[in-house]
Amino acid sequence: MSAGQAKKRKGKRGLSRAGGNGITQRKRAETGLRRARDQAKEALEQQTATAEILKVISNSPTDVDPVLRSILSNASRLCQASVGAVFLFDGEVLTNVAHQNASAEFADFLKRSRPRPSRETTTRRCALERRTMHTADLLNDPEYTPLDFQRRENARTVLSVPMIHDDRLVGVITLWRREVKPFTDRQIVLVQTFADQAVIAIENVRLFKETKEALERQTATAEILHVISSSPTDVGPVFEAIVKSGIRLFEGAGVTVTRPENGQVRLMAIAERDPERARRWKERFPFPLTREYMHGVAILDCRMVDMPDVEKMDERFAAGKRNFAESGYRAMTVVPMVKDGAAIGTIAVVRDAAGPLSDKQIALLQTFADQAVIAIENVRLFNETREALEQQKASAAVLGAISSSIADTAPVFDKILESCNRLFAGRIVGLNLVGEDGMLHIGAYHGAHREEFERIFPIPVTSESGSGLSIVERRVVHYPDTERGEGVPAKTRQGCKTIGIKSAIFAPMLWEGRGMGAIFVGRDHVSSFSEKEIALLRTFADQAAIAIENVRLFNEIQEKSRQLEVASRHKSEFLANMSHELRTPLNAIIGFTRIVMRRSREKLEPQQYENLEKILASGQHLLALINSILDLAKVEAGRVEVNPGEIALAPVLEHCARTVEPLVKADAVTLVKDFDLALPQMVVDEEKLRQIVINLLSNAAKFTARGSIRLQAHASNGSVAIAVADTGIGIAPDKLEVIFEEFAQADASSTRVYGGTGLGLTIARRLARLMGGEITAESVPGSGSKFTLTLPLRYASPGA
Amino acid sequence: MKTILIVEDVALNRELLVQLLEDDYRLVLAADGVAALERAAEAKPDLILMDLSLPNMDGWEATRRLKADGALSRIPVIVLSAHAMRGHEERARASGCDDFLTKPIDETLLFEKIARHLGD
């Protein structure tokens, strides 16, 4: 019931009681008026109190105490309570946070006792039942057994109102009276209103704190993220940012970042407000990576280790405890930085006060750990990428040198040694080669002490030297300490000492299992070469081998092509000579036969005359054969040049047809010129075009006994198709390609029947191809063949 | 009757040319380049048929010398060669010959060329 409603009701009652006679009536009326005035005043006071509390709430968003004090003083005053108290409930116990008019003794009791909800007192009962409890007289409360001082307090009437938020008990407001005088309904309602306001205030402060904390955490993580993104090459700044944010967010604490390294835990960053303590804490590091330390467990077992109180520290952490005791801290939490299921470091918070971290703080620590992992990964990736890029650049430079110096290994070796020098931080780099004498010689060398070094060579390819051993055993040989390391060959140990080298690596240059030499890098300090460096050196060795092999192949090819050139010249000379030598007797054979035939025709028997004709025909065939072989040789030797010129196609075809006409069996075969006289102009080697067309036509004439030979031509899409179709004996499908080969006719016996050198089509097709064209054949055995020559309408030289 | 100098080292081919031409011309013979130059100087022929592959001095050189000799340079030289590779004819013409025939000799073509160079 609200204060307004109460006032209204009272007012009505007052009016109904007005009436009666004279003074009594007036007195009644006066009493009624006073009461009404009192009620109005009370309502006003209540409203004023509520407003005042609201004002306090809005003025103290970060602190709940002023609100509770204000509530309590207003409640006590307006409800005429002797004593008042506010308790907050944390889920387990009630804690007194404010009291009003309590005696010193009572106040002390309130402060010390942290009771759980129960039935023992009105306050505890209220907390238990989570509803308003009103005890009219404590002396009549059968469940209440007062303590001595409580008796002295003489509390009689008690009102406890719960503060509830989302069905959850937040606290209790309790008012006591030292007389038996129950609180009115309106007073109860008022206290309930105050309880609601208290809840709002508490909730406000909680929300405010949560928001503020979240903001702080977000700010911290954002700062760290910013540092991560702005230092991709160095984890140091990120670790610094993490520990600095850490001490801001964890009170009374020091924050550290550590990483495991060579079996030890190393301190990477520390933040501690007290520099002296920071110094002492730093001195604890590094310590062994064992499970005797909390860091060790966090890293080795990859889990969080929380130690809320060093005094209760497990004896397992004997070593850690000693560290801890000397540092003066009370509690520590170590969170591992986890990458792929393994810890690559820790973030730890050490604290002055005992007690565990809250879930939120742990979550925050974990966020920091994740960020540290990201930073470490970033830097690793960055370095790897940069390293890989540098290696790729180096090896690309070497490949570039290889491809641009196929005749000489020197530029390649130089590039390799230059890259080695840069990427390996080598004081000396060199390349030894196995010479023709089977000994190792210096191929290339960069570095000091060249003269001393040269004096050592040549050396045999044996396991007595690093280079030799790497070649003999076909593996990279690596000496991190040439002076004191084990298994260093005496020669290498001595050589390294002479030129001031403390660590060395040798990679063999192998080609098809054969050792060609070795690349080596030497440093003036003791150091191990990393897996990546070894792999890179191996790559360089391979590249050097490729370079050597390239040069060898190049020289071999040059020698071969020189030999080929000589052979080709010999072949051409031979053909020219052969042709000359064969033509000379043929000159006599053909010449004398002609003379005899001309001068003795009448004297000779017809049979003898025919014999002479056969001698002449054979001579002429032999001549044709010689000419063809010469032609083919010329085409093959690339000695035939295309001499293009602009011609009209139709007249050329006409001329070819006329040339072949005498060969056609005129009585049984018709030669048909089946082409348009308006054929386009073309750019072609006219002599070769004629040679091809005449060859195709004379073949047709040779193999066609009756029917027709059609010479066709048409131009389209920039090319010309010239076809010779006959009704001759035809060609079997499996012979259509064979006929273009040297000395092949479709039927091996046909040469004897039809004559011909067996070279015509071969030459024709080569000439066609030489001019960017082609000859194809199609045929139906028994019904005829069709040969089609296609040529570009305008010849373009291959170079153009 | 006009005089033709036949320069040819192969006896059979020399004989063939003799049989083809003896009825119509006075013939002088030489079997190598050096002899060719001597015969030409002695006989002052009206035309020379010159083979290219010759001992002692080849046909190109002999032709070049003939053409360089003021007294003989006007005599037409027809080269008869069994060399059919591209380049030979050009070389022969470069040495100064007036005409070129490939062996085996086409007699019709030979008669024609001789008649033309003799102005008959």
Side-chain angles (χ1 to χ4, degrees):
Chain A
M1 185 164 58
S2 75
Q5 281 171 326
K7 179 183 147 196
K8 220 170 168 183
R9 202 159 57 222
K10 289 276 153 69
K12 269 185 187 164
R13 199 153 58 212
L15 277 174
S16 68
R17 282 181 189 179
N21 59 4
I23 296 166
T24 318
Q25 275 192 336
R26 199 168 58 239
K27 271 187 182 170
R28 274 188 191 158
E30 279 173 2
T31 312
L33 264 175
R34 195 168 54 240
R35 194 177 292 151
R37 217 172 26 241
D38 288 349
Q39 283 170 354
K41 191 181 158 218
E42 190 185 337
L44 189 65
E45 277 179 347
Q46 290 184 357
Q47 281 179 353
T48 310
T50 315
E52 186 189 318
I53 293 166
L54 283 174
K55 199 170 153 197
V56 175
I57 290 176
S58 69
N59 280 343
S60 57
T62 62
D63 191 359
V64 79
D65 288 351
V67 180
L68 295 179
R69 274 199 303 276
S70 171
I71 283 172
L72 194 55
S73 76
N74 279 294
S76 300
R77 185 169 45 81
L78 293 173
C79 298
Q80 290 102 41
S82 315
V83 182
V86 179
F87 304 87
L88 289 184
F89 183 66
D90 65 0
E92 285 188 26
V93 296
L94 290 158
T95 306
N96 176 242
V97 291
H99 52 78
Q100 178 84 20
N101 301 330
S103 66
E105 200 176 15
F106 191 36
D108 186 52
F109 168 77
L110 287 175
K111 192 186 168 192
R112 276 188 295 104
S113 70
R114 292 160 62 87
R116 292 170 184 280
S118 71
R119 300 210 63 82
E120 288 167 18
T121 69
T122 309
T123 302
R124 296 173 201 177
R125 221 174 292 150
C126 167
L128 189 68
E129 300 199 4
R130 299 204 278 168
R131 62 187 176 88
T132 299
M133 287 292 161
H134 191 186
T135 308
D137 188 350
L138 276 176
L139 297 185
N140 294 335
D141 184 351
E143 291 174 296
Y144 180 61
T145 316
L147 299 170
D148 282 351
F149 89 89
Q150 282 170 321
R151 262 185 245 284
R152 280 197 296 278
E153 286 289 327
N154 192 30
R156 297 297 291 272
T157 300
V158 189
L159 173 66
S160 286
V161 174
M163 303 184 313
I164 307 275
H165 177 67
D166 284 348
D167 288 337
R168 189 169 47 83
L169 182 71
V170 177
V172 176
I173 299 174
T174 302
L175 300 175
W176 290 271
R177 280 178 173 164
R178 291 198 178 94
E179 57 184 326
V180 178
K181 185 188 175 192
F183 293 88
T184 65
D185 285 353
R186 266 182 300 154
Q187 287 171 330
I188 294 172
V189 168
L190 180 66
V191 178
Q192 283 170 342
T193 304
F194 286 160
D196 290 345
Q197 287 182 327
V199 167
I200 290 167
I202 291 167
E203 212 29 45
N204 272 0
V205 171
R206 190 184 64 76
L207 281 175
F208 180 86
K209 277 193 177 154
E210 260 182 19
T211 310
K212 192 171 150 241
E213 276 171 19
L215 200 66
E216 278 172 351
R217 281 196 303 273
Q218 278 173 7
T219 309
T221 55
E223 270 171 23
I224 294 167
L225 285 175
H226 175 72
V227 175
I228 289 176
S229 67
S230 62
S231 71
T233 59
D234 187 5
V235 287
V238 178
F239 291 162
E240 288 298 330
I242 286 174
V243 295
K244 286 211 177 81
S245 296
I247 53 166
R248 271 212 315 274
L249 295 173
F250 297 96
E251 273 177 43
V255 182
T256 58
V257 172
T258 66
R259 294 197 68 184
E261 204 179 288
N262 297 330
Q264 289 196 309
V265 177
R266 279 185 187 283
L267 183 66
M268 309 306 289
I270 182 167
E272 162 61 73
R273 285 189 181 83
D274 179 354
E276 174 54 24
R277 212 148 61 157
R279 193 188 58 75
R280 269 187 288 146
W281 193 225
K282 269 187 205 166
E283 280 173 8
R284 309 283 140 216
F285 294 90
F287 52 77
L289 178 62
T290 68
R291 288 190 177 75
E292 280 183 300
Y293 298 87
M294 288 169 62
H295 285 89
V297 173
I299 292 167
L300 296 172
D301 297 347
C302 198
R303 64 180 175 89
M304 184 185 82
V305 181
D306 192 21
M307 185 57 62
D309 191 347
V310 69
E311 255 129 65
K312 295 172 192 144
M313 200 161 166
D314 204 313
E315 277 311 313
R316 283 178 299 152
F317 301 125
K321 195 170 180 176
R322 226 171 20 251
N323 258 353
F324 225 180
E326 285 165 29
S327 69
Y329 293 112
R330 276 294 294 280
M332 170 153 81
T333 306
V334 188
V335 174
M337 306 187 313
V338 182
K339 162 86 207 312
D340 297 336
I344 55 172
T346 70
I347 292 179
V349 180
V350 285
R351 306 182 289 282
D352 292 333
L357 289 183
S358 71
D359 287 350
K360 270 183 203 145
Q361 287 176 315
I362 287 171
L364 183 59
L365 264 188
Q366 243 133 21
T367 304
F368 284 166
D370 291 345
Q371 290 179 330
V373 170
I374 290 170
I376 293 169
E377 266 310 278
N378 270 2
V379 171
R380 191 183 62 75
L381 282 175
F382 180 87
N383 286 340
E384 254 180 26
T385 309
R386 194 185 51 192
E387 215 173 288
L389 199 68
E390 273 176 15
Q391 296 189 352
Q392 276 174 8
K393 259 160 59 188
S395 107
V398 174
L399 286 176
I402 289 177
S403 64
S404 64
S405 66
I406 48 170
D408 185 8
T409 52
V412 180
F413 291 170
D414 274 350
K415 191 55 88 180
I416 287 176
L417 295 194
E418 180 198 309
S419 299
C420 282
N421 235 343
R422 192 158 41 80
L423 294 175
F424 292 96
R427 189 146 166 278
I428 61 155
V429 293
L431 202 145
N432 294 333
L433 296 175
V434 179
E436 282 175 5
D437 56 0
M439 301 282 279
L440 268 171
H441 297 261
I442 300 175
Y445 181 83
H446 283 197
H449 302 287
R450 196 190 172 95
E451 282 174 23
E452 287 93 325
F453 191 71
E454 278 175 346
R455 222 168 287 141
I456 303 169
F457 286 85
I459 56 171
V461 187
T462 64
S463 51
E464 283 166 20
S465 69
S467 297
L469 185 63
S470 75
I471 294 169
V472 170
E473 300 199 347
R474 288 161 173 58
R475 65 177 176 92
V476 173
V477 178
H478 176 197
Y479 305 116
D481 184 348
T482 54
E483 206 171 343
R484 283 181 295 273
E486 277 177 30
V488 182
K491 271 211 175 89
T492 300
R493 202 189 290 278
Q494 185 54 40
C496 285
K497 199 175 176 188
T498 311
I499 58 177
I501 291 304
K502 295 279 176 58
S503 56
I505 184 166
F506 302 82
M509 286 148 48
L510 302 171
W511 185 265
E512 291 171 348
R514 190 166 47 87
M516 299 174 130
I519 289 188
F520 58 89
V521 176
R523 290 174 177 157
D524 58 1
H525 55 277
V526 172
S527 71
S528 280
F529 288 78
S530 71
E531 284 299 316
K532 272 188 202 139
E533 287 175 319
I534 292 172
L536 185 61
L537 193 66
R538 197 176 280 137
T539 303
F540 284 147
D542 290 346
Q543 290 179 332
I546 289 169
I548 294 171
E549 193 54 24
N550 268 2
V551 170
R552 196 186 62 73
L553 279 175
F554 177 78
N555 289 338
E556 209 170 81
I557 287 168
Q558 270 207 324
E559 175 59 19
K560 284 238 170 78
S561 66
R562 204 183 53 75
Q563 288 172 357
L564 271 175
E565 215 174 284
V566 171
S568 160
R569 207 166 50 237
H570 286 166
K571 184 184 168 190
S572 296
E573 276 168 20
F574 167 77
L575 281 170
N577 290 339
M578 185 198 78
S579 160
H580 178 260
E581 295 309 315
L582 291 176
R583 277 165 191 270
T584 303
L586 261 181
N587 189 43
I589 292 168
I590 293 171
F592 282 113
T593 307
R594 281 227 172 98
I595 289 175
V596 175
M597 285 169 74
R598 195 172 62 239
R599 294 187 183 162
S600 318
R601 177 147 205 177
E602 290 79 31
K603 297 175 201 158
L604 283 173
E605 286 173 33
Q607 176 65 46
Q608 296 312 316
Y609 187 79
E610 278 167 32
N611 286 346
L612 282 176
E613 279 179 333
K614 283 169 191 162
I615 292 172
L616 185 61
S618 294
Q620 274 161 342
H621 178 69
L622 187 54
L623 181 62
L625 206 53
I626 291 165
N627 284 339
S628 292
I629 288 173
L630 202 61
D631 274 351
L632 189 60
K634 280 193 278 189
V635 177
E636 275 185 343
R639 295 169 85 111
V640 173
E641 284 162 23
V642 178
N643 301 307
E646 178 133 8
I647 58 149
L649 183 54
V652 173
L653 295 182
E654 287 270 8
H655 183 265
C656 292
R658 263 204 311 282
T659 309
V660 186
E661 232 154 35
L663 301 175
V664 177
K665 291 151 192 75
D667 44 345
V669 181
T670 335
L671 179 57
V672 185
K673 285 169 272 182
D674 187 8
F675 51 86
D676 192 344
L677 288 173
L679 279 168
Q681 295 279 109
M682 70 185 286
V683 174
V684 71
D685 186 324
E686 183 183 344
E687 190 188 316
K688 291 181 180 63
L689 174 62
R690 271 181 212 281
Q691 192 177 340
I692 297 167
V693 174
I694 288 172
N695 176 266
L696 296 181
L697 284 172
S698 51
N699 280 348
K702 205 180 291 171
F703 294 107
T704 307
R706 65 188 69 80
S708 66
I709 296 169
R710 310 181 79 83
L711 176 58
Q712 306 163 316
H714 70 271
S716 65
N717 291 330
S719 71
V720 177
I722 300 164
V724 176
D726 65 41
T727 57
I729 58 170
I731 304 154
D734 61 326
K735 299 287 192 224
L736 281 175
E737 273 304 306
V738 178
I739 51 170
F740 289 102
E741 290 169 12
E742 293 98 330
F743 299 109
Q745 282 186 356
D747 179 352
S749 63
S750 67
T751 321
R752 290 187 287 277
V753 182
Y754 298 102
T757 61
L759 286 169
L761 272 177
T762 311
I763 293 169
R765 179 178 255 187
R766 298 221 178 155
L767 289 176
R769 288 181 177 173
L770 195 65
M771 294 190 289
E774 181 56 290
I775 297 178
T776 53
E778 52 197 297
S779 176
V780 177
S783 357
S785 312
K786 182 177 176 184
F787 286 79
T788 307
L789 162 70
T790 48
L791 282 175
L793 206 48
R794 311 192 73 78
Y795 170 79
S797 77
Chain B
M1 192 179 271
K2 290 188 170 162
T3 304
I4 293 178
L5 168 60
I6 296 171
V7 189
E8 169 65 72
D9 60 329
V10 179
L12 261 177
N13 283 335
R14 213 163 46 229
E15 177 63 24
L16 174 64
L17 286 171
V18 169
Q19 287 200 20
L20 283 172
L21 301 171
E22 62 186 353
D23 294 347
D24 303 312
Y25 303 102
R26 195 164 70 81
L27 300 174
V28 180
L29 305 179
D32 64 57
V34 177
L37 292 178
E38 287 171 11
R39 295 292 105 76
E42 292 162 14
K44 301 269 176 4
D46 299 289
L47 186 138
I48 301 172
L49 294 176
M50 177 76 78
D51 187 19
L52 286 176
S53 300
L54 296 170
N56 296 332
M57 182 191 290
D58 66 29
W60 291 289
E61 179 62 19
T63 305
R64 208 181 53 72
R65 293 199 185 194
L66 283 168
K67 290 298 175 185
D69 187 329
L72 306 173
S73 64
R74 289 177 170 275
I75 305 172
V77 177
I78 299 174
V79 164
L80 305 180
S81 175
H83 289 285
M85 292 292 271
R86 185 187 295 278
H88 280 89
E89 184 174 343
E90 282 87 337
R91 260 183 82 195
R93 289 201 188 275
S95 68
C97 78
D98 299 84
D99 217 331
F100 190 92
L101 265 175
T102 307
K103 289 183 203 169
I105 287 157
D106 181 322
E107 42 183 59
T108 320
L109 217 53
L110 177 68
F111 295 146
E112 227 174 80
K113 282 189 192 282
I114 290 173
R116 191 161 72 237
H117 285 288
L118 288 176
D120 295 345

